[in-house]
């Protein structure tokens, strides 16, 4: 089987997307005195885009969770960030803020995958990203665990709508680079779809047509490692037949959620018709429903295209990359695993999969070897990581960290 992104599909975390949506400020939380002041009430700072912004490409890599990871500076200090258009106000890791001895003010609370999270606030002098510099303003602060990227190391910052929303964001997934341009620029040709900033939640929103349903608003979320996510109501409205489904787990800032997933033959995003798309269906009362959205368009979908996000111009432009309509890699093991420095942790056993049919598999199990090969720190980018989406019929020998051995025969099950 060919190895291609997204490697979250049966490879590194076997279909586990990492959902980092932090949408707006809610009721104040009692973090400290004086009472919390939400991000929307604070001074936004002054943005300046360099005249040569066209040439200010930012190189990135994709995390095992399919997020865009890169380096930038805050107050002259280099840090690691993720580009996350599903975040209203950029979020600095509490761990980083405390290590840098930054004064953290109370910031209220925010809706996130899995529930609500407390947030703080730190003032900044200068935030620099490619050709964009913001002076003044500040950053929200929250816990950003390593599981948020699917890798062994956490990131320091989520760069959200407050930094990018006034510009055209050109993401070249194939070349692993992005840049910010003046709104209205059209650096490449592709299929167009409507795009805006939600007035209430202050995130990027678009729409999709799935089966018989036109679903909107859909949060366009580069920080969401999955492809397309819809509400239970949206899935029912689509009236699709013949789609085999299973279950998967998603992780957000506030916890985990188990959803249904399946591969649909086609869906439309504006003028673009995409084929063989993985769709995740949230449980009733899930995150999207709770925030009044129809679902999310994530990086697992966007990475198949050259992408221009320009909400000020009202458009998203998608130009297919080679293989954009190829079927995504599917788990054939039925195990969703997270990467730790020298082991894999089972996060979820997928409904109807080989692991569910075998005895003994459960969340929390630790795997230390695969066919005798140890789990190394660079496991996520090695061919070994493809085992869980391997050829049906292959038997994989898994060495558990307690010294026992388990065998698992791979199979197609959704």
């Amino acid at each position: 089987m060919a190895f291609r992104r997204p490697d979250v599909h049966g490879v590194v975390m076997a279909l586990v997307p990492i959902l980092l949506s932090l949408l707006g400020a809610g009721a104040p939380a009692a973090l400290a005195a004086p009472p919390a002041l939400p991000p929307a009430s604070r001074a936004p700072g002054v943005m300046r885009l360099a005249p040569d912004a066209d040439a200010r490409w930012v190189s990135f890599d994709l995390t095992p969770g399919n997020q865009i990871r890169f380096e930038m500076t805050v107050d002259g200090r280099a840090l690691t960030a993720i580009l996350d258009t599903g975040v209203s106000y950029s979020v600095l890791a509490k761990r980083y803020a405390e290590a840098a001895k930054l004064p953290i003010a109370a910031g209220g609370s925010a809706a996130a995958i899995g529930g609500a999270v407390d947030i703080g606030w730190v003032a900044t002098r200068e935030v620099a990203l490619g050709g964009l510099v913001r002076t003044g303003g500040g950053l929200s602060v929250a816990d950003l665990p390593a599981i948020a990227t699917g890798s062994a190391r956490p990131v320091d910052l989520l760069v959200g709508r407050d930094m990018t929303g006034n510009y055209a964001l050109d993401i070249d997934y194939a070349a692993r680079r992005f840049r910010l341009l003046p709104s209205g620029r059209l650096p490449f040709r592709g299929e167009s779809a409507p795009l805006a900033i939600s007035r209430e939640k202050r995130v990027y929103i678009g729409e999709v047509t799935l089966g018989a349903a036109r679903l909107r608003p859909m949060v366009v979320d580069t920080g969401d490692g999955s492809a397309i996510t819809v509400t239970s109501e949206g899935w029912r409205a689509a009236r699709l037949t013949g789609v085999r489904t299973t279950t998967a787990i998603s992780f957000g800032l506030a916890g985990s959620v188990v959803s249904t997933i399946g591969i649909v033959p086609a869906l439309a995003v504006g003028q673009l018709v995409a084929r063989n798309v993985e769709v995740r269906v949230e449980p009733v009362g899930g995150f999207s429903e709770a925030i009044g959205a129809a679902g999310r368009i994530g990086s697992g979908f966007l990475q198949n295209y050259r992408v221009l996000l320009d909400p000020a111009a009202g458009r998203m432009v998608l130009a297919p990359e080679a293989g954009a309509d190829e079927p995504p890699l599917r788990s054939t093991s039925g195990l969703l695993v997270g990467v730790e420095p020298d082991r894999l942790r089972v996060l979820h056993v997928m409904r109807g999969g080989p692991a569910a049919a075998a005895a003994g598999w459960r969340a929390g199990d630790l795997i230390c070897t695969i066919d005798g090969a140890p789990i190394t720190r660079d496991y996520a980018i090695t061919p070994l990581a493809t085992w869980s989406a391997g050829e049906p019929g292959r038997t994989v020998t898994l060495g558990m960290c307690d010294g026992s051995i388990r065998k698992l025969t791979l199979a197609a099950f959704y």
Side-chain angles (χ1 to χ4, degrees):
M1 181 178 289
F3 177 71
R4 75 176 183 91
R5 286 285 185 173
D7 58 3
V8 73
H9 294 292
V11 181
V12 175
M13 294 184 63
L15 296 166
V16 182
I18 310 301
L19 310 182
L20 294 176
S21 301
L22 180 67
L23 301 178
L31 297 179
L37 185 63
S41 301
R42 298 179 182 271
V46 177
M47 301 283 197
R48 178 176 57 83
L49 191 63
D52 63 343
D54 293 47
R56 301 287 189 96
W57 288 99
V58 178
S59 298
F60 68 83
D61 72 329
L62 284 178
T63 72
N66 283 338
Q67 299 99 351
I68 294 170
R69 179 172 55 193
F70 58 96
E71 292 189 352
M72 57 180 289
T73 63
V74 173
D75 293 343
R77 297 174 176 171
L79 46 69
T80 303
I82 281 177
L83 187 64
D84 196 340
T85 56
V87 165
S88 320
Y89 299 94
S90 299
V91 184
L92 186 67
K94 185 178 181 181
R95 162 193 51 79
Y96 180 95
E98 290 176 342
K101 296 183 174 12
L102 301 176
I104 303 175
S109 65
I113 301 297
V117 294
D118 289 332
I119 58 175
W121 179 264
V122 296
T124 57
R125 298 186 305 276
E126 180 183 278
V127 178
L129 167 62
L132 180 66
V133 174
R134 186 184 72 187
T135 55
L139 298 166
S140 298
V141 178
D143 289 322
L144 300 182
I147 192 67
T149 63
S151 59
R153 62 187 177 94
V155 295
D156 304 315
L157 179 66
L158 308 181
V159 174
R161 182 275 321 161
D162 57 322
M163 289 290 297
T164 63
N166 292 330
Y167 306 100
L169 176 58
D170 179 8
I171 308 174
D172 187 348
Y173 278 98
R176 297 290 192 267
R177 61 182 188 171
F178 72 88
R179 59 183 172 175
L180 290 163
L181 304 172
S183 177
R185 294 286 300 279
L186 190 61
F188 62 90
R189 295 185 179 278
E191 303 295 336
S192 293
L195 184 71
I197 299 293
S198 163
R199 289 184 179 179
E200 180 181 355
K201 298 300 183 183
R202 306 304 296 163
V203 291
Y204 291 58
I205 54 171
E207 61 183 55
V208 303
T209 300
L210 176 65
R214 184 182 181 189
L215 304 177
R216 57 181 179 176
M218 296 283 291
V219 178
V220 181
D221 189 354
T222 59
D224 180 345
S226 60
I228 302 293
T229 301
V230 300
T231 63
S232 295
E233 181 182 354
W235 181 254
R236 288 193 299 270
R239 298 200 296 271
L240 298 173
T241 59
V243 178
R244 299 171 67 189
T245 63
T246 182
T247 56
I249 192 169
S250 306
F251 292 88
L253 296 183
S256 62
V257 176
V258 174
S259 302
T260 296
I261 60 169
I263 311 297
V264 303
L267 59 79
V269 181
Q271 298 173 343
L272 174 78
V273 176
R275 306 194 184 280
N276 298 310
V277 181
E278 182 185 282
V279 174
R280 182 174 301 262
V281 185
E282 293 181 324
V284 173
F287 177 69
S288 296
E289 184 180 330
I291 65 168
R296 297 180 299 281
I297 302 172
S299 187
F301 175 82
L302 296 173
Q303 67 182 350
N304 295 312
Y305 304 90
R306 173 82 176 268
V307 177
L308 185 76
L309 301 178
D310 191 354
R315 68 187 175 200
M316 170 168 54
V317 181
L318 301 169
E321 301 286 1
D325 287 337
E326 291 180 8
L329 293 178
R330 308 183 195 203
S331 172
T332 51
S333 67
L335 287 176
L336 308 187
V337 297
V339 183
E340 297 184 3
D342 59 351
R343 63 195 61 196
L344 303 178
R345 181 180 295 274
V346 174
L347 302 174
H348 179 69
V349 180
M350 302 171 77
R351 184 187 66 212
W361 286 104
R362 63 185 183 276
D365 286 346
L366 299 174
I367 301 169
C368 278
T369 65
I370 300 165
D371 287 335
I375 307 300
T376 59
R377 186 169 290 274
D378 64 346
Y379 163 87
I381 58 173
T382 68
L384 185 64
T386 64
W387 70 273
S388 64
E391 190 68 26
R394 172 189 170 193
T395 297
V396 182
T397 301
L398 301 170
M400 310 305 291
C401 297
D402 65 3
S404 64
I405 299 295
R406 300 185 193 179
K407 292 185 180 292
L408 191 63
T409 300
L410 307 180
F413 63 99
Y414 71 103

